[in-house]
Amino acid sequence: MKDILTAPFMIEMIRTTTNMYNHGWDERNGGNISLLLNEAEVREYLDTDRVLRTIPTGFKAPELDGKYFLVTGTGKYFKNVQYAPDVNLGLVRLTDGGGNAELLWGYSDGGKFTSEFPAHMMSHVARLKVDPENHVVMHCHPANLLAMTYIHTLDEREFTRTLWQMCTECIVVFPDGVNVLPWMLCGTNEIGEATAEKMLTARLVVWSLHGIYGAGKDLDETFGLIETAEKAAEIYMKIAHLPRVNTITDDMMHQLEARFGVKGREGYLS
Ligand code: 13P
Ligand code: ZN
């Protein structure tokens, strides 16, 4: 059996949490990540018959029965993951229709998965329906996207169009746009269900006055998705109070669609 700390998925998770902390997106215990793993890759590092603990999830997700996830722990700081991965991360297998999580590795101080586990698992179910290659759900608190939800309409078309107008390549990176939830109580099954519903039509879901969720095939791609949206929001926050002299027009965006072979969300461009 190989050392799990040498697994590419573990190294990538540690690098990503560290990088997110360094970007200022994950103050204190802010943010959480879940990474879907293949059974074969887990078996290279762990005896999958050796269950350390069984932790109830409080929801059902039969589509994920038997699936393995590497998940950040609740109350844990992204900045500390690199120093103590076995305390701050856990590897679980969902069982009983998603009602229980069998801990195979990690949470070694007696901890458990993120309080946002419902939103993560329900989002995985939604994204896997759209894209079977989706492996990552990522949540964080980037300052500019968060700031934008205080001063910009939360209308999804308007919110998306504003972000697309802030950097030329935004429409190329997230042609599906950004969906937006109103403020809701975090950590609940209700916000999980609402997030998953939004994940059916876009890989980015803003939680107003809280943060953002991103989904993608791997950690790099998902990080890049949030990074691009956050850069656009940063530009918006720099110029929102100033007269706009120039902008990226819908005609320019149609040119980008043609050049990069993407299609902006239906009805979002004129
Ligand atoms: P956890 O520490 O439970 O992951 O919560 C952090 C967070 O960002 C809640 O939305
Ligand atoms: Zn949060």
Side-chain angles (χ1 to χ4, degrees), residues 85-254:
D86 66 306
V87 176
N88 295 290
L89 303 173
L91 200 157
V92 297
R93 174 177 55 213
L94 289 188
T95 55
D96 307 315
N100 281 312
E102 295 178 327
L103 180 65
L104 302 176
W105 175 88
Y107 306 144
S108 62
D109 63 349
K112 62 183 266 190
F113 41 75
T114 172
S115 60
E116 305 295 4
F117 204 50
H120 279 256
M121 294 302 111
M122 293 175 193
S123 292
H124 276 285
V125 171
R127 285 312 305 172
L128 285 169
K129 282 185 193 151
V130 183
D131 174 11
E133 291 303 306
N134 193 96
H135 282 75
V136 176
V137 173
M138 183 182 282
H139 166 62
C140 56
H141 305 159
N144 293 287
L145 279 163
L146 193 37
M148 206 172 143
T149 65
Y150 286 82
I151 61 164
H152 193 283
T153 168
L154 302 179
D155 177 83
E156 290 171 341
R157 181 176 181 275
E158 288 308 312
F159 204 93
T160 297
R161 284 178 54 80
T162 296
L163 291 177
W164 282 352
Q165 287 164 0
M166 293 302 112
C167 304
T168 291
E169 292 182 17
C170 276
I171 191 170
V172 180
V173 176
F174 50 97
D176 44 343
V178 174
N179 285 341
V180 184
L181 281 182
W183 185 91
M184 290 178 74
L185 188 60
C186 54
T188 60
N189 288 353
E190 287 71 26
I191 200 169
E193 285 155 13
T195 306
E197 176 72 29
K198 295 288 185 191
M199 280 282 178
L200 290 169
T201 49
R203 295 162 299 151
L204 287 168
V205 179
V206 168
W207 279 10
S208 295
L209 321 180
H210 182 140
I212 191 162
Y213 268 74
K217 71 174 170 22
D218 57 32
L219 289 164
D220 222 23
E221 184 193 87
T222 314
F223 179 93
L225 195 58
I226 293 177
E227 186 181 30
T228 308
E230 170 61 3
K231 170 63 100 38
E234 180 180 355
I235 294 164
Y236 178 74
M237 294 308 298
K238 282 186 198 294
I239 66 166
H241 59 295
L242 299 170
R244 189 140 10 139
V245 178
N246 303 302
T247 197
I248 300 171
T249 63
D250 284 23
D251 177 59
M252 291 171 188
M253 287 199 242
H254 285 305

